[in-house]
C-alpha cells in the first residue's frame, strides 16, 4: 500500500516535537477524516527556516508527509518554503495511494498556517500567502470515476 | 505493509483461516467429484449428495429444515437478497422496513438503494452499548411495515442484540424478521423457531470455512423470489452452478463450529476478559466499546484517546500483529465508523479505535505479547499527537 | 445413478475438472494467506496482491484494462448484474433490450423479470444453425434501445455468434453491447476493443477453474452500478469479502486457457469432427445440431430420432460416460430445450438430443469407446420405441 | 435419483415388444414432456389378461413404470387391472422422484386406453372405465411450493 519511503518516514519520523517560543505555529484539521497536524517553525532574521517540528494525529500518510514536509522546508527561505506543495511532498515520498492524497494537503496547509502565524506576529505580509483555513475541505473525489 | 509476516492474527471478525479439516473435505470436489450437481450421471450425483449433506449439517445448527437453507456467494448477497426480494414480494402490503443504525453496510447500503426505489426505512438508534430499544422498535412498527432487519451481533463492537425479543415483537405484529447473523452463526446458539426468525444471513469464512460462500435461511412460507435469476438451482430460487467445494467446506465448518462452540467460546470469553481487564488497568485513557456482557465471545473493541487508528494498525502490523480498526482509513472509506458514532463516541475518539477479534487458535501468550506491544505503540503515538499533553 | 464410476467425462460445457495446477495455486490462500484483502496488515495485503495479479491475468486475455474486471460469484450473477443494472442505469434513455431466443436462462429469466418491471424485450430468432440475423438485429434497434445482449457462443449447440459484427452495429447505434461469454472465454480469442464489447460475463468453472467465481467485464465509462450492495470491494461495485482462493484459481485458469488455447482447441476440433463424421456415417437417423463450422471447438450436439434423451443419458452413465442432453428431464424442468426448438427442431426430435463436450483430457480412445456404446444404446432404445419401425 | 427397483426395470425392462392381433392396444402421449407409451393386451374369454407388452419412448421413469405396470396387470382380470393405478406402480417401484410422478400416469392411462380399445372392439362396457384422453394433461405443479 505505502512506498518504502513512506514507511521509513512513518516508522522513523523526522523532526517530531515542539519548538518553544516558535516564530510561527500552524494547526490544521482535515474535515474529511478528522486528523490534525501542527507545525512549528523557527525562522531567523533573514527569513530562513532554521528549524521545524511537528505533531500529528493522523494516518500513516499524514505522519509520513509531516515528517517529509518538515525535512523539505528546513533551511529554506520563506519564499522557497511556499513552493513545498503537497505534490512536492508526495513526490519526495515516491507517491501515495489515491485515497491518501488528501492527507498530504494537511502538510502543505500546516506549513502555510505556521507561516501565516509568523507573518501576523511580525506584522509582515508574505507574497502569495493567503489566510489559511483551519480545516481542509477538499472536493469529494468522484466516487464514480469508473 | 511491513516485511514481517503476520504471526498473531487478531482479526477473526474480518475473516478466518480456513481450517485444514475444511480444506481436506473440499479437495476431492475440485479434481475428482467435480461434476455439475444438476447432472444425472454418477459424478454429478456425487456432487448433489455432498450438497445435501452440507445443507443438512447447516440446517441442524439453526434448528431449521434442510430445504430452508439457500446457498449464496456470501453474507452480502444473502443480505441483499433478503431485503430486496422482501421489498418486491411484499409491496402490496407496504414499503416500510425497520433496521438499525449499526447494521453492516451490506444492509445499510441496500436500504439506501431501496429508498431510491420508494422504500421508507426507519433506522433505529442504539444505546451506548449498541443495544436496540425494544420499545422504540415496537413504536416504529406501522401497518405498512413489511420487514424488520436487525443484526444478531454487531461486527465492530460485538454487541449481541435481543433477537428472541425482537422475533416475538415481529411475530405479534405479523411482520417478517430478518437477521444478519454473519458474526453470530457458529459463535452463539441460534434456533430459528424459538427466536421467530424468518430469514437469516450467514457467511462461511467467518467460522473457518471458505470465502465466497454463504447462505440465506428462508422460513418455509416466506414468499420471496430469486435475487439471481437463471437456472433451477437451489429450488429455483438462486441460479448458478453450485459452488460444490465451497458448500462442502461450509457444511464441515458449520458442523465443526457447532460441535466446538461450548468449549471454544468459553476459552475465548476468558481470554477476551483477561485482555480487556489488563488493558483498562494498564493503559490510560482507554474505553471499552460495546456491551461488556452481551458480547460476542471473541470481540474486543477499544478506543484509545489521542491516537489515530490507521497508525496504530500499521505499527501493530510491524510487530506481526493483525488487527483492525473502526477507523476511517482502513476501509477505503474515510468516514469514521458509523457504529462507533451511533453509540455516541465523538469523532476523534471513534478515530482511535482498535478491534481485536480472537480465533480458535488464539493463546494467552499471543495476547500478552500484543498487550506489551500495544502499550509501547500507544505511548509512541501519543508522543506524536498534538492532542495529547502529559 | 449407477455404481460404475464416471470414466469418460464428456460434459465439459456443464463444468470442468478443476486442474491440479489451479488447485495448487489456490491452496495457500485457504490456510496461510487467508487475510481479508481489504485489510491493511501484511497477510491482508498478500491477498490483495494475489487478487490484483489474477485481475491482470484475466484482463490480458480479453485485451481489457485491469480495472475493468469485476469479480462475481459466477456467470449467472454476471448476467443478472449486466442486465438489471443497465436497465436501472439507462432508464432515462429507454426500456428496450434486444436479446435472442437461445440465450442461457441466466439471461432469459432475468429478461422475464425485467419485463415485469416495465422492460420491453425483443427476442431475436436464429436460423437453423443457431445464428442471429444481423439485418433483423439492425431493424430491432429503436431510439429507446439501451442494451443488446447476445451470447458469444451457445452452451447447447456450440454456435459462435458474429460478435464483432454485432459490436459494430451496437456501436453505430450508440447502444450498449453485453455478451454472455461463459462458454467462449478461454476457448476462442476475444478482444473487447476490437469487438466493441461493453460488458462480458464469464465463469471460471468452464475453463478448469473453480466453481463459484466469475467476472463481469465492464468497459470504463459504462455507468452501471452495484448489483450486490455493501462493502467497498471491487471498486465499490460488488460488495462481499473477496473469494481470494477462487479469484486466484480463476487467474491461473484464465492464463492457462489462453496459453494452451491454440494447441488445445486444434486438438479438440480434430476430435470433434472425427466423432461427428463417424456418428453421421455409422448411426442412421441422426442430425448434427448447430453450425458445422462456426462452432465451439469442443461441442458436439446430435439428435437421434425415436430416442428419448434421459434414457440415453442413463444408459451412457451405466457405461461410465458422462454426457448431457437438451432434453426435458435432466434440468429439473420438463420443457424441451428452448435452443433446439428455436433452431426449428420438432418437439420429439429435440427430445432425443445428446450433447458431448470435450475437455483438455479427452482422447480419441474415449471417443471410440463412446461411439461403440452409443451405437448399441441407440439400437436398444429404438427397439423400445413405439415410434421406430425398422 | 432413481431407486434400485426403477433402475432394474429400466435396465432390464420386462415385456418389451408388440402382440400381434392384440385384444386391445392403447397409446398415450404426455403433453408435458412429449413422451409416448403403447401397451398391448392379450385378454382371454374369461376377461383375464394373459399377456401384456409395451413400447415406450420416454425417460427412465417412463420405461420402468411401463415395465412394472405390464408385470402388475399380467394374469389379472380386467376389474383387477383397473386398480393398477400410477400410485400402485410407483409403490411397486419403491417410489419416484417428485418431478417424475407424472411419468407414472402414462402407464396408468396406457392400460386404460388398451382396455377401452378392447371394450370397443368387443362391444362391451367396462364398469368404471371412461374414454381415455390420448394426452395426459396434468395440472402444472406449483412451482412455488416453498
Ligand atoms: C452460456 C452460459 N451462461 C451462463 C451460465 C451460468 O454460469 P454459472 O452457472 O457459472 O453461474 C452458463 C453455465 O451454466 C452458460 O453456459
Ligand atoms: C455483520 C456482517 N454482515 C455482512 C457481512 C458480509 O459478509 P461477506 O463479506 O461474506 O459478504 C459481514 C462481513 O463482512 C458482517 O460482519
Ligand atoms: S486519513 Fe486522515 S490524514 Fe490520512
Ligand atoms: S419425463 Fe416424460 S415420461 Fe418421464
Amino acid at each position: 500500500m505505502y512506498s518504502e519511503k513512506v514507511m521509513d518516514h512513518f516508522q522513523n519520523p523526522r523532526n517530531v516535537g515542539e519548538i518553544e517560543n516558535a516564530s510561527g505555529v500552524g494547526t490544521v484539521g482535515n474535515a474529511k477524516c478528522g486528523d490534525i497536524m501542527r507545525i512549528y517553525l523557527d525562522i531567523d532574521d533573514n527569513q530562513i527556516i532554521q528549524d521545524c517540528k511537528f505533531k500529528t494525529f493522523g494516518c500513516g500518510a499524514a505522519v509520513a508527509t509531516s515528517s517529509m514536509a518538515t525535512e523539505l522546508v528546513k533551511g529554506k527561505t520563506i519564499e522557497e518554503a511556499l513552493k513545498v506543495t503537497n505534490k512536492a511532498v508526495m513526490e519526495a515520498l515516491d507517491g501515495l495511494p489515491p485515497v491518501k492524497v488528501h492527507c498530504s494537503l494537511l502538510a502543505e496547509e500546516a506549513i502555510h498556517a505556521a507561516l501565516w502565524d509568523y507573518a501576523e506576529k511580525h506584522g509582515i505580509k508574505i507574497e502569495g500567502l493567503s489566510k489559511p483555513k483551519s480545516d481542509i475541505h477538499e472536493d469529494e473525489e468522484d466516487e464514480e470515476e469508473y | 505493509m511491513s516485511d514481517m509476516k503476520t504471526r498473531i492474527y487478531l482479526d477473526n471478525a474480518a475473516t478466518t483461516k480456513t481450517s485444514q479439516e475444511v480444506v481436506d473435505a473440499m479437495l476431492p470436489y475440485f479434481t475428482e467429484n467435480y461434476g455439475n450437481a444438476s447432472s444425472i450421471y454418477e459424478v454429478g450425483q456425487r456432487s448433489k449428495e455432498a450438497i445435501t449433506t452440507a445443507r443438512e449439517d447447516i440446517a441442524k445448527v439453526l434448528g431449521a429444515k434442510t430445504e430452508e437453507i439457500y446457498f449464496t456467494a456470501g453474507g452480502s448477497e444473502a443480505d441483499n437478497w433478503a431485503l430486496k426480494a422482501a421489498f418486491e414480494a411484499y409491496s402490496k402490503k407496504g414499503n416500510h422496513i425497520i433496521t438499525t443504525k449499526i447494521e453492516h453496510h451490506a444492509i445499510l447500503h441496500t436500504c439506501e438503494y431501496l429508498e431510491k426505489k420508494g422504500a421508507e426505512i426507519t433506522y433505529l438508534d442504539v444505546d451506548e452499548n449498541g443495544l436496540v430499544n425494544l420499545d422504540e422498535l415496537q413504536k416504529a412498527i406501522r401497518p405498512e411495515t413489511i420487514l424488520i432487519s436487525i443484526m444478531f451481533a454487531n461486527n465492530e463492537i460485538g454487541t449481541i442484540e435481543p433477537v428472541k425479543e425482537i422475533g416475538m415483537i415481529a411475530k405479534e405484529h405479523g411482520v417478517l424478521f430478518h437477521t444478519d447473523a454473519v458474526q453470530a452463526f457458529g459463535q452463539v446458539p441460534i434456533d430459528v423457531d424459538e427466536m421467530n426468525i424468518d430469514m437469516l444471513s450467514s457467511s462461511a469464512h467467518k467460522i473457518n470455512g471458505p470465502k465466497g460462500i454463504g447462505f440465506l435461511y428462508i422460513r418455509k412460507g416466506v414468499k420471496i423470489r430469486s435475487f439471481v435469476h437463471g437456472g433451477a438451482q437451489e429450488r429455483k430460487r438462486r441460479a448458478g452452478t453450485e459452488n460444490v467445494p465451497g458448500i462442502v467446506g461450509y457444511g464441515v465448518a458449520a458442523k465443526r463450529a457447532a460441535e466446538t462452540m461450548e468449549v471454544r467460546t468459553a476459552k475465548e470469553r476468558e481470554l477476551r476478559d483477561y485482555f480487556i481487564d489488563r488493558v483498562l488497568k494498564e493503559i490510560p485513557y482507554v474505553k471499552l466499546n460495546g456491551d461488556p456482557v452481551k458480547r460476542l465471545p471473541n470481540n474486543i473493541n477499544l478506543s484509545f484517546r489521542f491516537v489515530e487508528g490507521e497508525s496504530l494498525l500499521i505499527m501493530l502490523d510491524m510487530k506481526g500483529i493483525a488487527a483492525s480498526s473502526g477507523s476511517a482509513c482502513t476501509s477505503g472509506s474515510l468516514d469514521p465508523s458509523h457504529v462507533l458514532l451511533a453509540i455516541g463516541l465523538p469523532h476523534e475518539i471513534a478515530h482511535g479505535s482498535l478491534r481485536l477479534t480472537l480465533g480458535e487458535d488464539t493463546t494467552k501468550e499471543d495476547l500478552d505479547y500484543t498487550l506489551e506491544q500495544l502499550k509501547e505503540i500507544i505511548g509512541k503515538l501519543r508522543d506524536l499527537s498534538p492532542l495529547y499533553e502529559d
Side-chain angles (χ1 to χ4, degrees), chain A, chain B:
Chain A
M1 177 174 167
Y2 288 134
S3 71
E4 270 175 46
K5 278 246 179 86
V6 172
M7 285 307 290
D8 175 36
H9 276 266
F10 173 69
Q11 288 180 66
N12 312 295
R14 319 327 186 230
N15 310 311
V16 177
E18 302 173 16
I19 298 176
E20 269 182 60
N21 306 318
S23 327
V25 181
T27 304
V28 193
N30 190 325
K32 201 158 178 185
C33 61
D35 292 337
I36 291 164
M37 192 182 292
R38 180 175 302 151
I39 282 198
Y40 301 82
L41 296 176
D42 178 14
I43 301 175
D44 71 11
D45 295 344
N46 299 323
Q47 303 211 329
I48 290 176
I49 299 172
Q50 289 297 345
D51 199 6
C52 176
K53 294 225 182 273
F54 81 94
K55 285 217 162 180
T56 290
F57 167 85
C59 70
V63 172
T65 50
S66 311
S67 167
M68 179 56 88
T70 54
E71 286 284 276
L72 289 179
V73 298
K74 244 207 274 192
K76 294 241 161 76
T77 62
I78 288 179
E79 204 181 330
E80 286 165 341
L82 277 176
K83 287 182 193 142
V84 177
T85 60
N86 78 309
K87 246 184 97 182
V89 175
M90 282 202 290
E91 266 165 31
L93 286 168
D94 294 342
L96 282 177
V99 72
K100 290 297 183 178
V101 171
H102 75 282
C103 314
S104 66
L105 284 171
L106 264 184
E108 182 183 316
E109 289 293 315
I111 292 170
H112 289 186
L115 288 173
W116 182 267
D117 181 46
Y118 164 79
E120 283 212 321
K121 276 185 189 158
H122 292 72
I124 59 173
K125 198 180 168 306
I126 297 173
E127 192 72 31
L129 182 69
S130 48
K131 186 169 164 53
K133 330 154 201 146
S134 64
D135 257 356
I136 308 287
H137 279 276
E138 213 187 339
D139 290 341
E140 275 293 318
E141 286 120 282
D142 183 14
E143 296 207 343
E144 291 157 44
E145 26 82 44
Y146 7 86
Chain B
M1 185 72 39
S2 80
D3 290 336
M4 181 179 260
K5 286 226 171 185
T6 301
R7 283 172 300 142
I8 299 181
Y9 183 75
L10 292 173
D11 202 13
N12 288 283
T15 194
T16 56
K17 179 172 169 167
T18 311
S19 81
Q20 193 59 51
E21 212 179 316
V22 168
V23 177
D24 290 344
M26 293 170 72
L27 279 178
Y29 294 91
F30 286 110
T31 52
E32 290 163 46
N33 304 337
Y34 54 84
N36 191 309
S38 305
S39 308
I40 200 167
Y41 42 74
E42 186 266 343
V43 68
Q45 293 291 308
R46 265 184 277 156
S47 295
K48 193 173 170 179
E49 283 158 24
I51 291 175
T52 303
T53 305
R55 213 188 296 278
E56 284 164 3
D57 286 341
I58 288 170
K60 247 177 247 158
V61 179
L62 292 173
K65 296 186 193 69
T66 307
E67 66 272 19
E68 294 176 326
I69 304 297
Y70 296 86
F71 290 108
T72 66
S76 300
E77 186 192 325
D79 283 344
N80 274 257
W81 183 6
L83 267 59
K84 292 178 188 172
F87 179 67
E88 281 185 3
Y90 292 83
S91 62
K92 279 197 196 117
K93 182 181 173 199
N95 68 341
H96 181 234
I97 295 173
I98 301 173
T99 185
T100 76
K101 288 194 175 150
I102 63 165
E103 299 296 313
H104 190 269
H105 283 141
I107 296 289
L108 291 179
H109 288 166
T110 301
C111 284
E112 285 164 24
Y113 169 82
L114 290 177
E115 282 177 317
K116 285 188 212 140
K117 305 250 150 207
E120 283 189 60
I121 318 269
T122 300
Y123 300 92
L124 294 175
D125 282 315
V126 292
D127 71 11
E128 73 277 9
N129 286 342
L131 289 162
V132 296
N133 182 313
L134 295 170
D135 282 344
E136 276 175 35
L137 168 62
Q138 198 115 24
K139 278 184 211 136
I141 298 174
R142 320 176 192 159
E144 64 273 21
T145 305
I146 54 173
L147 180 69
I148 295 169
S149 178
I150 296 183
M151 68 200 318
F152 206 113
N154 183 269
N155 47 308
E156 289 191 35
I157 56 175
T159 300
I160 299 173
E161 300 297 337
V163 171
K164 196 174 166 180
E165 289 76 9
I166 296 168
M168 210 126 78
I169 293 173
K171 196 180 179 183
E172 273 166 21
H173 290 80
V175 173
L176 282 186
F177 174 35
H178 166 258
T179 186
D180 174 343
V182 170
Q183 292 291 337
F185 180 76
Q187 306 281 9
V188 294
I190 304 181
D191 186 306
V192 287
D193 284 343
E194 213 180 276
M195 296 173 166
N196 286 308
I197 295 167
D198 295 310
M199 294 189 275
L200 178 148
S201 307
S202 169
S203 193
H205 69 96
K206 307 285 187 185
I207 54 162
N208 302 101
K211 295 176 175 64
I213 188 82
F215 70 79
L216 181 64
Y217 157 82
I218 309 176
R219 180 178 292 284
K220 220 176 151 154
V222 173
K223 294 230 172 289
I224 74 165
R225 301 303 205 85
S226 290
F227 176 54
V228 179
H229 293 83
Q233 294 91 351
E234 299 296 293
R235 312 178 79 232
K236 298 194 186 145
R237 274 180 149 174
R238 202 280 193 170
T241 302
E242 294 91 340
N243 176 356
V244 186
I247 290 170
V248 167
Y250 201 0
V252 174
K255 203 173 166 182
R256 217 171 143 265
E259 281 165 6
T260 63
M261 190 188 295
E262 215 177 299
V263 175
R264 186 187 74 242
T265 59
K267 187 195 111 184
E268 283 176 355
R269 253 182 225 103
E270 199 184 311
L271 285 177
R272 174 195 76 186
D273 294 338
Y274 164 77
F275 188 87
I276 291 174
D277 283 352
R278 279 197 62 189
V279 168
L280 294 182
K281 262 187 221 129
E282 299 177 28
I283 302 184
Y285 304 114
V286 56
K287 177 186 175 313
L288 175 71
N289 299 314
D291 195 282
V293 180
K294 292 171 195 150
R295 177 179 206 96
L296 286 174
N298 70 342
N299 176 290
I300 298 167
N301 190 307
L302 301 160
S303 288
F304 298 92
R305 288 194 71 167
F306 320 123
V307 164
E308 190 274 341
E310 192 203 85
S311 290
L312 178 52
L313 292 190
I314 302 178
M315 290 209 169
L316 285 168
D317 182 39
M318 291 185 319
K319 300 296 176 185
I321 301 164
S324 96
S325 144
S327 126
C329 314
T330 49
S331 60
S333 143
L334 293 163
D335 306 324
S337 152
H338 65 283
V339 176
L340 298 179
L341 296 182
I343 60 171
L345 256 56
H347 202 294
E348 77 275 11
I349 295 184
H351 214 33
S353 295
L354 177 70
R355 182 184 71 179
L356 302 171
T357 41
L358 320 185
E360 52 179 9
D361 300 328
T362 307
T363 63
K364 184 158 173 296
E365 288 67 46
D366 293 344
L367 295 185
D368 286 335
Y369 173 82
T370 301
L371 185 69
E372 288 319 306
Q373 297 303 327
L374 194 56
K375 278 192 210 170
E376 213 174 286
I377 291 168
I378 296 291
K380 213 172 152 183
L381 287 174
R382 285 182 175 164
D383 285 345
L384 252 174
S385 175
L387 303 172
Y388 182 66
E389 320 279 341
D390 51 352

